[in-house]
């Protein structure tokens, strides 16, 4: 990195994360330091920065989700870690060793592809045994058999990939990657080819499997629900940058930006003037989740707002969606439309007048 | 590949301009040009008249036995042009099949008609296959949209379907046009003077190498201009489906009894002419020959000669095609594009001209190679490289890169990955490419004529020289051997095709 021109080097202390939410794991296994990658785009001069100074660190046995909308650079980041793309700048270290310029086969990092990429000319057992070629054959077969048992596919050893269901193919791909005991395994949208029901069932299984083998994992997904349910920590990406890293709880409770506040769950955005732990808003003075000063945008989760029927209220109900365990109301107040989630009991007909009350501390955004 | 062609140019421009002008302005050159054009136009027109209705019948109507028809009309590919010419000659004339069996003595169809017929009857399947693929891949909802907008079925076919077939027509015409321009055997047997035949005569009989090289240059120019025109016409006419989702099979026209009879009658006529004719004529001459036992040792030796060139040429072509295809598919760049185009140039340059270029090249630049077995193999492989490239490239396109990346993530280096993963997945494509080169090398005439080592007499050469000497009886077993062999090949390709379709 030293040969980079100085002006480009925006030095950030390694410990301090962009927004202070990053927990430094006790023993970082994999460290990604300010990766940058551009792709030529529409003509030789215009380039599109796919990944812009992405830094991550992954602890031993930790499962992290790279979450973002399509085109945010999450898959490119994953492919750089796997060795399938070369970063323009930045460094990747695995257990203290610089692997930035190693070919994929020398990294010891597993990769599960979106399409599973099973070898069509080999049967299930041969697929799983594929990476164990330096082992004596009998030993490799035993190991492959163990892995198949682990993913619950005993008895299918002699099937060909095309004779398996999508879920089975995915488990074979996972067994194949885990068989070589990688320290890190990368999963690129591993559930996107499964139907909705399978997806929910499979993701806890995959989590258990990874935890039982002790492999650390990075999972790329655009599905916030999947990331929240599966990962120990989530790195939210937008436009090639990591905008926030944290546990699912932190990310949900304390979104750093408006993008995060609306990409993970939904939020109402208010403007206000903050001073310290309080902000002045249209809803009166509200407590803040963290200190801020000056004009700020504030995120309010829909479930943090209470609806009270009030014939003299300034707000009126304009839409309602009943969802069983709760219901969503769209409430118009002046210029602003707010989204509110209430318990299933409350009854506010469309058109009725209500009063809004914010009953929790709100999040100042940057 | 370019080096020998450069030698050809060099050779041609050795002469002083006045001599060259005299050569080019000979009335003979003009006649050759007219003949070549007339032949090409005739073959294209006839094959379209045959192939378009056939393709329409098998894809868009409920014609009975469509599956069988589909195979029968592709099989003529197995009949080399000179065997077709042999059949037409053997059919007619005083001692011919028709006169001996039915007592009808047709004049032998030498000249334009004979050459056109012989070439059409074995090249029309190329056009048929292209049109069939286009028709069955054609999104029927486009036709349905036209119907919904008030077109009758006939109007919809002409206003929507037919324009969409243009790329397929052009692609088919390109292949057939190149075959026709480059064909040597059929025109030679039909004694119809076109460029490739004249070049051979100039070279082998008149030993006028200067005129031969100029004729070769003109021929190459014609072939390349055909390629150029085809790509110009096709430009901007790539009709891709814009919608997503799978298409249901197109609605098939129900044929009444009369329609069925007419359709099957047409098919029968085509099959009889293209397949029945050579088989019947060959069978006739074979029975006249009584037993083939006396010819057997000679036949086996000729077969061995053919094999000794065709097999290594097939392997060499595939070996050269693999890296070229891998480069084009995995690392597309200007360079890989250029290499691909060059491979196609080797294919587009008519074999006679290609062989002549190599003659000059080896005589002047690499004497030790001249008329060696190795040179023959090399020229075959270079000339037919594009044939091996096609299936290998399509197989590579189908092989997902994530499969290779998986192997890399599992600890395999680039070469180990290629060997253990890429090669096994594209094996069918590699085999198909090798088979294509192998069979065309078995049938090949002009390159063998001009470059073969002394005493080298493979099947095709033996058959050709006996036929041209009028010894139809002696030629028959060789023709039969080539046909049986080629038929096996077409069967293989069709099977491969169907498998690929299932996948």
């Amino acid at each position: 990195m030293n040969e980079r021109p100085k002006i480009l080097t925006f030095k950030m202390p390694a410990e301090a994360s962009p927004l202070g939410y990053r927990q430094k794991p006790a023993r970082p296994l994999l460290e990604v330091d300010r990766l940058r990658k551009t792709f030529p785009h529409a003509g030789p001069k215009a380039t599109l920065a796919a990944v812009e100074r992405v830094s991550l660190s992954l602890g031993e046995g930790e499962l992290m989700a790279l979450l973002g909308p399509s085109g945010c650079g999450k898959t490119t980041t994953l492919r750089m870690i796997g060795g399938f793309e070369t970063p323009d700048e930045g460094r990747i270290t695995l257990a203290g060793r610089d692997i930035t310029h190693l070919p994929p086969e020398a990294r010891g990092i597993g990769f599960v592809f979106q399409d599973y990429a099973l070898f069509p000319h080999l049967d299930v057992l041969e697929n799983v045994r594929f990476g164990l070629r330096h082992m004596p054959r009998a030993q490799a077969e035993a190991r492959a058999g163990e892995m198949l048992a682990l993913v619950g596919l005993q008895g299918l050893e002699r099937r060909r990939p095309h004779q398996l269901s999508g879920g089975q193919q995915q488990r074979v791909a996972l067994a194949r990657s885990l068989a070589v005991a990688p320290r890190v395994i990368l999963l690129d949208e591993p559930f996107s080819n499964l139907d909705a029901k399978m997806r929910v069932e499979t993701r806890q299984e995959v989590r258990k499997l990874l935890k039982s083998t002790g492999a650390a994992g990075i999972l790329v997904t655009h599905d916030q629900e999947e990331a929240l349910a599966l990962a120990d920590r989530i790195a939210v990406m937008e436009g090639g940058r990591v905008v926030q890293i944290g546990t699912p709880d932190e990310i949900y409770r304390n979104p750093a930006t408006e993008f995060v506040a609306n990409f993970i769950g939904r939020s109402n955005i208010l403007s206000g003037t903050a001073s310290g732990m309080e902000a002045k808003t249209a809803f009166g003075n509200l407590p803040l989740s963290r200190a801020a000063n000056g004009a700020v945008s504030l995120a309010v989760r829909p479930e943090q707002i209470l609806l009270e029927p009030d014939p003299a209220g300034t707000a009126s109900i304009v839409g309602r969606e009943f969802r069983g365990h709760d219901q969503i109301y769209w409430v118009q107040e002046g210029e602003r439309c707010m989204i509110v989630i209430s318990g299933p009991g409350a009854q506010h007909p469309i058109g009725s007048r209500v009063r809004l009350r914010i009953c929790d501390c709100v999040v100042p955004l940057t | 590949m370019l080096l020998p062609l450069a030698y050809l140019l060099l050779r041609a421009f050795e002469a002083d301009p006045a001599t060259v002008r005299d050569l080019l302005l000979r009335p003979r050159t003009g006649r050759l040009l007219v003949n070549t054009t007339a032949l090409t136009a005739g073959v294209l027109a006839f094959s379209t008249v045959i192939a378009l209705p056939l393709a329409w019948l098998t894809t868009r109507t409920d014609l009975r036995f469509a599956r069988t028809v589909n195979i029968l009309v592709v099989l003529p590919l197995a009949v080399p042009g000179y065997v077709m010419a042999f059949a037409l000659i053997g059919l007619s004339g005083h001692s011919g099949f028709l006169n001996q069996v039915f007592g009808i003595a047709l004049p032998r169809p030498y000249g334009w008609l004979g050459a056109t017929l012989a070439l059409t009857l074995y090249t029309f399947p190329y056009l048929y296959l292209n049109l069939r693929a286009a028709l069955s891949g054609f999104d029927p909802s486009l036709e349905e949209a036209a119907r919904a907008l008030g077109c009758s079925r006939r109007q919809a076919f002409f206003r929507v379907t037919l324009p969409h077939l243009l790329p397929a027509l052009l692609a088919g015409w390109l292949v057939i046009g190149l075959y026709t321009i480059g064909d040597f055997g059929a025109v030679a047997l039909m004694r119809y003077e076109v460029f490739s035949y004249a070049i051979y005569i100039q070279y082998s009989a008149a030993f006028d190498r200067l005129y031969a090289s100029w004729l070769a240059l003109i021929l190459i120019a014609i072939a390349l201009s055909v390629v150029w025109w085809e790509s110009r016409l096709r430009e901007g006419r790539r009709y891709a489906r814009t919608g997503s989702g799978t298409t249901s099979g197109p609605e098939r026209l129900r044929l009444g009894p009369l329609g069925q009879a007419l359709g099957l009658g047409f098919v029968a006529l085509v099959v009889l002419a293209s397949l029945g004719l050579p088989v019947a004529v060959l069978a006739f001459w074979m029975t006249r020959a009584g037993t083939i036992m006396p010819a057997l040792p000679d036949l086996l030796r000729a077969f061995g000669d053919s094999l000794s060139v065709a097999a290594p040429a097939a392997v060499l072509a595939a070996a050269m095609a693999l890296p070229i295809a891998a480069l084009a598919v995995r690392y597309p760049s200007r360079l890989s594009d250029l290499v691909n185009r060059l491979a196609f140039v080797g294919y587009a340059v008519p074999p006679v001209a290609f062989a002549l270029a190599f003659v000059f090249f080896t005589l002047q630049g690499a004497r030790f190679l001249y008329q060696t077995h190795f040179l023959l193999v090399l020229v075959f492989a270079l000339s037919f490289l594009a044939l091996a490239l096609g299936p290998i490239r399509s197989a590579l396109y189908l092989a997902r890169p994530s499969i290779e990346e998986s192997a890399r993530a599992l600890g395999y280096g680039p070469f180990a990955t290629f060997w253990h993963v890429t090669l096994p997945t594209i094996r069918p494509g590699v085999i198909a490419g090798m088979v294509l080169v192998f069979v065309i090398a078995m049938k090949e005439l002009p390159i063998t004529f001009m470059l073969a080592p002394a005493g080298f007499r493979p099947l095709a050469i033996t058959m050709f020289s006996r036929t041209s000497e009028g010894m139809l009886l002696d030629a028959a077993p060789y023709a039969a051997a080539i046909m049986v062999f080629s038929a096996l090949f077409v069967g293989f390709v069709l099977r491969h095709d169907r498998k690929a379709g299932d996948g």
Side-chain angles (χ1 to χ4, degrees), chain B residues 214-255:
Chain B
W214 271 104
L215 290 180
L217 278 183
I218 297 172
L219 185 56
I220 291 175
I222 294 174
L224 291 184
S225 68
V226 167
V227 173
W228 186 77
W229 272 108
E230 193 265 353
S231 71
R232 272 296 300 275
L233 284 173
R234 203 176 40 181
E235 223 163 77
R237 287 186 200 273
R238 227 165 260 147
Y239 304 118
R241 265 178 5 107
T242 44
S244 58
T246 51
T247 59
S248 51
E251 184 206 353
R252 284 162 181 264
L253 180 70
R254 281 180 185 282
L255 294 177

Side-chain angles (χ1 to χ4, degrees), chain B residues 279-296:
Chain B
V279 169
V281 172
L282 274 180
F284 165 74
W285 285 96
M286 293 281 279
T287 51
R288 294 259 327 246
T291 167
I292 58 160
M293 283 321 275
L296 204 57

